[in-house]
Amino acid sequence: MDAIDLDPGEYRGTYKLVGGRLCLDFVNTISWPDTEHAHDWLSGPENAKRWFAAVGLPFPRGKDTDLLALHDSRRMLAAVLTPLAHAERPKHASVAELSKAASKANEGRVIDPATLAWNWLPPHSAAEALYPILADAAELVTAGNHERLRFCPSCHWLFDDQTRNGHRRWCDMADCGSRDKARRYYHRSKS
């Protein structure tokens, strides 16, 4: 997995698409969430535009990036997806908020008469650019089987375990897996 070209600012890390789903990669735009080491990869408009380009989603051109819409949606998705990754039920209010947002997102897609496939209308705002992400999250939540939705114990990112045996432990073996193994080796050798 290659790092995405996002400006880390003072943060000494990289951002990779490791979630396996669009909505999970969006939630993962905060490194080390809910910790003192938290870093927001979407803290500036240029990084937001680069992230959308990296995942293949259109972003409105010439518009100011509404970072608040991005941050609010990310918070809402994390409130639903993180408990599911821990095999817990999300709060009813969080699911209701996602349901309302996903319903609104469906207004942004149409069936193409030539291909008979769903197509997203070009977004006119940052909120509309989120529509495919919200639809992906709604589909993940309503699919019913959340057993392969995982939480990385090292960095706290979410990922969809698509391995054959379903035993993936970390979001990225090269980063979190190596760090976790080194930490465990250090503690064993100290004993």
Side-chain angles (χ1 to χ4, degrees):
M1 288 172 241
D2 293 330
I4 304 300
D5 183 27
L6 299 180
D7 180 6
E10 308 244 337
Y11 182 70
R12 293 184 42 200
T14 58
Y15 176 83
K16 296 179 182 179
L17 299 172
V18 298
R21 291 190 70 120
L22 187 57
C23 62
L24 300 177
D25 284 324
F26 183 66
V27 170
N28 292 344
T29 56
I30 292 188
S31 291
W32 305 95
D34 302 323
T35 70
E36 62 187 36
H37 307 293
H39 174 71
D40 185 355
W41 289 100
L42 300 181
S43 62
E46 192 56 40
N47 270 2
K49 292 173 186 175
R50 287 179 183 176
W51 186 87
F52 275 83
V55 297
L57 290 179
F59 202 79
R61 297 199 185 280
K63 303 266 184 181
D64 287 334
T65 304
D66 184 359
L67 295 176
L68 186 58
L70 300 179
H71 295 166
D72 285 348
S73 292
R74 182 178 57 196
R75 177 203 45 78
M76 173 201 42
L77 293 176
V80 174
L81 298 173
T82 301
L84 289 175
H86 287 286
E88 300 169 357
R89 299 280 293 174
K91 293 180 181 176
H92 288 282
S94 299
V95 175
E97 189 178 6
L98 172 59
S99 179
K100 183 177 178 182
S103 179
K104 176 77 173 155
N106 281 326
E107 296 174 10
R109 62 182 183 171
V110 295
I111 298 174
D112 183 328
T115 64
L116 300 179
W118 283 111
N119 281 340
W120 292 100
L121 298 172
H124 294 86
S125 67
E128 290 180 6
L130 291 166
Y131 286 174
I133 298 167
L134 296 169
D136 182 51
E139 199 246 289
L140 175 61
V141 169
T142 60
N145 184 0
H146 307 115
E147 290 178 10
R148 293 204 174 220
L149 181 56
R150 303 269 198 265
F151 179 82
C152 181
S154 182
C155 73
H156 304 191
W157 274 5
L158 305 176
F159 62 92
D160 188 20
D161 181 358
Q162 293 301 314
T163 60
R164 189 177 336 151
N165 65 7
H167 289 94
R168 182 174 160 195
R169 290 187 57 191
W170 302 283
C171 66
D172 183 18
M173 181 59 197
D175 289 332
C176 291
S178 293
R179 185 174 35 248
D180 191 45
K181 287 181 175 185
R183 184 175 51 242
R184 286 186 292 148
Y185 175 79
Y186 172 79
H187 289 296
R188 275 195 316 266
S189 65
K190 290 290 272 185
S191 296

